Amino acid sequence: MDRDWGSKPGSGGAASAQSEAIDRRERLRRLALETIDLAKDPYFMRNHLGSYECKLCLTLHNNEGNYLAHTQGKRHQTNLAKRAAREAKEAPVLPQPHKRKVTVKKSVKIGRPGYRVTKQFDPETKQRSLLFQIEYPEIEDNTKPRHRFMSSYEQRVQSFDKRYQYLLFAAEPYEIIAFKVPSTEIDKSTPKFFSHWDPDSKMFTLQLYFKAKPPEASKGQPAPATNGTAAPGVPSRPMPPPPQGAPPPPPPTQGPPPMGNPPRAPPPSLSGSVPPPPPPIANGPRPMPPGGNLPAPPPPPVGSGTMANFTPGAQMGRPPMPPPPPQGFPGQGARPPPPPPSMG
């Protein structure tokens, strides 16, 4: 069935005016949010109910789009104009600063002028001076050359150096020329510092004197170190104290120093009081008994143990001891060996 009016079947029908208005407002809201930042709006506020308020007009809005539409309306714009007029009326009137208008005169430069610099020295005051003579044969009529001092940090032609300053001369239509002079204080008293312009010879003359340094500052720098590595202006290091005498040598030792174990003390004499015998030494010869007679050595062990081939005095690199002499008088038998000392 063909239809002469309406939409096609299944297309959802034609949009009503209300639906078109809702869609248009939504598109405008999205476009406004992209261009307007509500966080920077001083009159936009969100209350505790979730809705939005305009603090200027005291109106309530359900969403951000409704608030943006309100900001473009007549009521909001009128309140904005009233607020701006009231603030301008209440603001104090401040005097405007006087701005001096400087007209920059543009002229074609014809080059640098000729100059002559003379160095002078006054033997009475110990001051050095400079005499500048600048020639401006083609200077403009009714004009005089100008000069000024410039710090090393003002110019941008050379690197900064606080030891120097610049003296500039300018006159139209010549280029500005500058002289690099020491950054010493200039004596600007009347007879020593003067400038003169001679309109007949077209020569500008300027003379300046540098102040003499005080006696403390004119003293020479301290002598450099012996090796020549001391920098100028740095105080020299103090001299080290004189070397003291060498310490006394140690007392000479009797003979070469002992190697290994220290030597044993001599045996005590048999007369008088006899000191107690020293403790027995493991694997060594036994001390002599108080009677002066050496005991008979013990019989060698029998068997194949670790002490089978033991020889007294063979330890510590000492030669073996000879067998003891027979004890007793001739013709008497040998005494039995004394019992071994108790180790308990």
Side-chain angles (χ1 to χ4, degrees):
M1 177 180 178
D2 298 334
R3 297 178 180 273
D4 297 336
W5 52 271
S7 60
K8 295 182 180 180
S11 62
S16 61
Q18 183 178 3
S19 300
E20 291 181 357
I22 294 175
D23 183 67
R24 182 175 63 256
R25 287 195 298 269
E26 183 65 22
R27 285 188 287 105
L28 293 176
R29 185 185 71 85
R30 289 196 301 266
L31 181 62
L33 289 178
E34 293 178 359
T35 57
I36 301 176
D37 189 5
L38 292 178
K40 297 180 180 180
D41 192 348
Y43 307 113
F44 177 75
M45 183 184 68
R46 183 173 182 177
N47 57 16
H48 65 285
L49 300 177
S51 57
Y52 305 97
E53 296 182 8
C54 176
K55 294 189 293 184
L56 179 62
C57 305
L58 302 179
T59 54
L60 186 64
H61 307 277
N62 296 329
N63 49 40
E64 297 176 353
N66 193 354
Y67 174 80
L68 292 175
H70 163 75
T71 57
Q72 305 300 325
K74 181 179 180 181
R75 181 178 180 182
H76 190 82
Q77 296 295 332
T78 304
N79 291 336
L80 284 177
K82 291 181 179 180
R83 173 66 64 88
R86 184 171 66 253
E87 290 180 355
K89 184 178 180 180
E90 294 177 356
V93 179
L94 299 177
Q96 297 294 332
H98 177 67
K99 295 182 179 180
R100 182 180 178 182
K101 296 182 179 180
V102 180
T103 58
V104 180
K105 185 178 180 180
K106 296 182 179 180
S107 60
V108 180
K109 303 298 182 180
I110 62 175
R112 299 179 182 177
Y115 59 87
R116 185 183 300 109
V117 181
T118 306
K119 298 181 180 179
Q120 301 173 353
F121 178 75
D122 190 353
E124 296 180 359
T125 59
K126 306 295 182 182
Q127 288 181 299
R128 301 182 182 274
S129 64
L130 293 175
L131 178 64
F132 298 92
Q133 295 175 332
I134 317 297
E135 298 178 356
Y136 294 104
E138 299 182 12
I139 190 173
E140 295 181 356
D141 298 336
N142 301 326
T143 58
K144 293 182 180 181
R146 302 179 304 275
H147 71 279
R148 63 159 296 200
F149 291 92
M150 178 181 289
S151 172
S152 175
Y153 298 95
E154 295 183 55
Q155 54 87 27
R156 299 182 181 180
V157 179
Q158 297 182 355
S159 58
F160 306 142
D161 192 348
K162 63 179 181 180
R163 298 177 299 173
Y164 300 98
Q165 58 183 342
Y166 296 87
L167 177 59
L168 281 66
F169 295 93
E172 298 295 340
Y174 291 91
E175 296 180 0
I176 300 176
I177 59 175
F179 297 91
K180 189 175 183 180
V181 297
S183 183
T184 309
E185 187 177 359
I186 297 175
D187 189 359
K188 293 188 177 182
S189 57
T190 304
K192 295 184 178 180
F193 183 85
F194 71 90
S195 60
H196 174 69
W197 165 245
D198 188 357
D200 297 332
S201 61
K202 302 295 182 66
M203 178 178 293
F204 182 76
T205 306
L206 184 140
Q207 177 176 308
L208 58 90
Y209 275 77
F210 297 101
K211 288 188 176 181
K213 296 182 180 179
E216 293 79 9
S218 61
K219 291 182 179 180
Q221 299 293 342
T226 305
N227 54 2
T229 57
V234 179
S236 59
R237 298 181 180 177
M239 297 297 294
Q244 300 179 358
T253 56
Q254 301 295 334
M259 301 296 293
N261 294 336
R264 297 183 178 182
S269 60
L270 299 179
S271 61
S273 61
V274 179
I281 302 174
N283 299 334
R286 295 183 178 181
M288 184 175 293
N293 298 326
L294 296 176
V302 181
S304 59
T306 57
M307 303 298 292
N309 299 327
F310 173 76
T311 303
Q315 285 76 15
M316 305 299 292
R318 293 193 299 271
M321 297 181 61
Q327 300 180 3
F329 296 97
Q332 296 182 357
R335 293 182 181 181
S342 175
M343 301 300 293

